[in-house]
Amino acid sequence: MSEVYSMMTITSRAKLPDFLALYEKMKLPMSLVLLGYGTAKDEILNMLGLDRSEKAVLLKTVTGQSWKSVKWNLRKKLYIDVPDTGIAFIIPMSSIGGRRELAFLLAGQEYQKGEESVMKDTTMELLIIISNQGHNDLVMDAARGAGAYGGTVLHASGTGVNRAELFFGLALASEKDVTLIVTKKSQKNAIMKAVMEKAGMETPAQSIVFSLPVTDAAGLTMGSDDDEQNPSE
């Protein structure tokens, strides 16, 4: 897949409305919003007279051309290069399950299909499955049936989901589950197909699935690198 990226924006919850407004103005309204907090130690915060920083994470899908425009606007209109304003970065996508799903995630951005993956030498993939909240069992049953070992579920709120009617003729719930599954590249297509068929848009889960390349990992028992030499030896 050519020139399609998952864009992540991390900012404070107080600045979140500014970022959402900018993205909506740029006609990139579809977002997933996850809430978190900064990791500075309490003693450092107390010394500086600050409270623990509450953060927001926005997930979007952009083309390479859109990213150039987004980056320019973030710098010129939200002054993102000023410390503590936020950060934004992109990760190349490997694939997206379904043409309608791709059209929905891109929200009208111009796109020309090219090679499937920007990073060709990876052996693992991170599957990201966005589904209606409360239907993760349906998602994981489908994924495990196709060989997935397990996953991690995060809660998110969707913005701009009313645009789904343009692509699906359906209304999507705003509260979402985001399931993360790391798998072998050779198993990716089977898992994505199973999720689309058994937990896709025609089911209560109404799932959308896409994948990102994983360049390396530790803690995954996938039968490789068992005898890898210690680099410090």
Side-chain angles (χ1 to χ4, degrees):
M1 179 171 294
S2 174
E3 292 275 317
V4 178
Y5 300 88
S6 177
M7 182 180 76
M8 182 175 293
T9 307
I10 304 174
T11 186
S12 68
R13 297 188 197 182
K15 293 184 174 69
L16 174 62
D18 296 333
F19 283 82
L20 288 174
L22 175 64
Y23 292 155
E24 185 173 1
K25 187 175 181 180
M26 296 183 68
K27 298 183 179 179
L28 301 173
M30 176 56 192
S31 296
L32 284 176
V33 181
L34 300 97
L35 301 180
Y37 56 86
T39 58
K41 293 183 177 179
D42 289 338
E43 54 266 30
I44 296 176
L45 295 173
N46 291 336
M47 181 178 64
L48 297 174
L50 300 173
D51 296 325
R52 181 178 289 273
S53 177
E54 294 185 325
K55 299 290 186 180
V57 180
L58 280 73
L59 297 179
K60 284 185 173 293
T61 303
V62 297
T63 64
Q65 187 61 39
S66 293
W67 167 244
K68 293 178 182 178
S69 179
V70 169
K71 186 166 59 172
W72 187 91
N73 278 276
L74 288 173
R75 286 175 169 167
K76 300 299 182 181
K77 297 183 179 180
L78 294 187
Y79 309 105
I80 197 169
D81 292 325
V82 175
D84 297 327
T85 300
I87 62 171
F89 55 91
I90 57 174
I91 304 168
M93 280 191 176
S94 299
S95 53
I96 296 176
R99 293 182 179 178
R100 292 184 306 167
E101 287 79 356
L102 172 62
F104 175 47
L105 290 173
L106 289 180
Q109 299 172 70
E110 293 186 7
Y111 162 72
Q112 184 174 1
K113 184 176 176 60
E115 295 183 15
E116 180 174 334
S117 179
V118 178
M119 303 177 68
K120 301 177 181 178
D121 298 327
T122 58
T123 59
M124 291 173 288
E125 298 274 335
L126 171 64
L127 304 187
I128 300 180
I129 305 166
I130 304 166
S131 59
N132 288 340
Q133 186 181 10
H135 296 282
N136 183 255
D137 287 345
L138 195 62
V139 172
M140 286 309 305
D141 286 347
R144 288 193 184 97
Y149 292 99
T152 299
V153 183
L154 306 173
H155 177 65
S157 294
T159 65
V161 293
N162 57 314
R163 287 179 58 88
E165 295 180 3
L166 298 176
F167 301 96
F168 302 115
L170 300 168
L172 295 182
S174 61
E175 299 302 305
K176 300 293 182 183
D177 285 333
V178 179
T179 305
L180 308 178
I181 299 175
V182 178
T183 186
K184 292 179 180 178
K185 190 173 183 178
S186 59
Q187 295 177 303
K188 176 194 72 173
N189 289 341
I191 296 173
M192 292 180 70
K193 182 179 179 181
V195 170
M196 290 168 60
E197 290 179 349
K198 299 179 181 180
M201 290 305 303
E202 287 73 29
T203 72
Q206 294 185 319
S207 299
I208 294 174
V209 56
F210 57 90
S211 67
L212 306 177
V214 174
T215 57
D216 201 359
L220 299 173
T221 55
M222 294 186 176
S224 62
D225 296 334
D226 290 338
D227 299 321
E228 185 178 5
Q229 183 177 354
N230 187 338
S232 64
E233 294 179 352

